[in-house]
Amino acid sequence: GEGGVADANENAGARYFKLKLNGDPAHDAARLARIGDELAKLPYATKITLDANEQYADLAALNALVDRLDHDEALKPIAANLLYIEQPMPRDVTKASPLGKLAGRNFIIDEADDSYDAFPRARALGYRGISSKSCKGIYKSVVNAARAAAWSADGDRYFISGEDLTCQAGLGVQQDLALGALIGVTHAERNGHHYVDGFADTPADEADAFLTAHPDLYTRAGGKVRLAIHDGDLLTGSIAAVPGFASSIHPDWSTMQPLKRPTPRVSQEQTV
């Protein structure tokens, strides 16, 4: 996973790092240089992805960043290990801006993925990849992975990345991992365990049942069942070995309450 609670060493051994950008080429370059210096001190190789979350205003700003990555000696530790840059420009700008001379480099869309035809449209603009998120729908991920494989057969490389968007321990993270395995994602941003402490307020018996069924994926630490992270990896052997969509164990549905439907309200117009 790219990327905590209770275990101070949970990020030890991580080899893939997603680094955020703020849209200012000079600021981003300086920050990336500092991070690159630190990563270069690690006793093992690392890989980098950059995510701008729509912060680069236009192609001119994006070209300025890429020029620094290509020519700034201080950025070599980042550039030499860079896998792709994610959603550099705002979605509306993205849709109206062919990448031009940047086409063919590893740029992917995320926020601009708003429909089933978003990936083909992005490809026509010069993008090479798209992100997979369970919240976007598993069928979209499967379709996009098939597209990437078919397009790559013609010689150019297209790909799909993985992001979990705060998937929680239990069915959420398990099914997201299963989806990633199905479509061939080997590394993914995984941050749900940074936002929620283990299984949070899940009944202890339920958390224990998940631990018993998947002892490679979970562990007990800090008094709670939580993800077991092994040098940056999550082990999926137990969820792949059972029938179903990573769902051999279910939550305790009896402890849950149905969502309340909001009361419809109609605003009255005042005639003046």
Side-chain angles (χ1 to χ4, degrees):
E2 297 167 6
V5 199
D7 183 0
N9 296 315
E10 69 174 8
N11 290 323
R15 301 178 305 284
Y16 291 84
F17 295 87
K18 170 175 278 196
L19 307 179
K20 296 292 187 174
L21 305 174
N22 84 342
D24 178 339
H27 176 277
D28 285 334
R31 178 172 178 269
L32 292 176
R34 294 194 299 272
I35 295 173
D37 284 344
E38 295 303 314
L39 293 179
K41 298 174 184 177
L42 295 174
Y44 47 81
T46 59
K47 294 296 181 184
I48 307 298
T49 65
L50 302 179
D51 187 0
N53 291 113
E54 306 183 89
Q55 295 304 302
Y56 273 77
D58 50 36
L59 274 174
L62 182 58
N63 272 292
L65 173 70
V66 172
D67 185 67
R68 288 174 180 267
L69 287 168
D70 286 346
H71 300 108
D72 191 335
E73 190 73 21
L75 292 177
K76 275 194 172 180
I78 298 293
N81 297 294
L82 181 60
L83 298 177
Y84 57 80
I85 299 177
E86 180 176 345
Q87 193 64 52
M89 299 178 292
R91 64 202 77 181
D92 292 340
V93 175
T94 295
K95 295 172 184 177
S97 305
L99 286 175
K101 68 179 184 179
L102 297 180
R105 300 178 75 121
N106 285 343
F107 287 96
I108 75 170
I109 63 167
D110 176 21
E111 285 86 352
D113 177 14
D114 58 2
S115 65
Y116 268 81
D117 65 349
F119 196 8
R121 287 190 282 108
R123 180 196 184 201
L125 295 171
Y127 289 81
R128 289 300 183 93
I130 193 168
S131 67
S132 166
K133 291 178 178 174
S134 292
C135 62
K136 294 181 182 181
I138 62 172
Y139 296 112
K140 181 188 279 190
S141 294
V142 172
V143 168
N144 283 335
R147 285 169 168 159
W151 297 337
S152 296
D154 295 333
D156 292 328
R157 177 178 177 266
Y158 295 88
F159 61 96
I160 189 163
S161 69
E163 304 181 45
D164 83 340
L165 200 65
T166 72
C167 289
Q168 302 304 307
L171 283 185
V173 72
Q174 290 171 198
Q175 293 186 333
D176 191 71
L177 287 168
L179 173 62
L182 173 66
I183 63 178
V185 169
T186 57
H187 59 92
E189 176 188 9
R190 190 151 301 286
N191 57 20
H193 60 290
H194 289 204
Y195 292 93
V196 174
D197 185 12
F199 274 74
D201 295 327
T202 298
D205 289 347
E206 179 181 324
D208 288 344
F210 276 94
L211 173 60
T212 299
H214 304 294
D216 53 348
L217 183 59
Y218 302 110
T219 187
R220 191 182 305 280
K224 286 195 173 185
V225 177
R226 61 185 72 254
L227 288 180
I229 302 173
H230 309 269
D231 290 335
D233 291 341
L234 295 177
L235 306 183
T236 58
S238 66
I239 64 173
V242 295
F245 185 36
S247 57
S248 62
I249 297 294
H250 281 247
D252 183 354
W253 304 111
S254 68
T255 65
M256 300 184 185
Q257 297 180 353
L259 292 174
K260 293 182 179 179
R261 293 184 177 275
T263 302
R265 298 190 180 194
V266 178
S267 297
Q268 302 299 313
E269 294 183 2
Q270 180 71 39
T271 301
V272 178

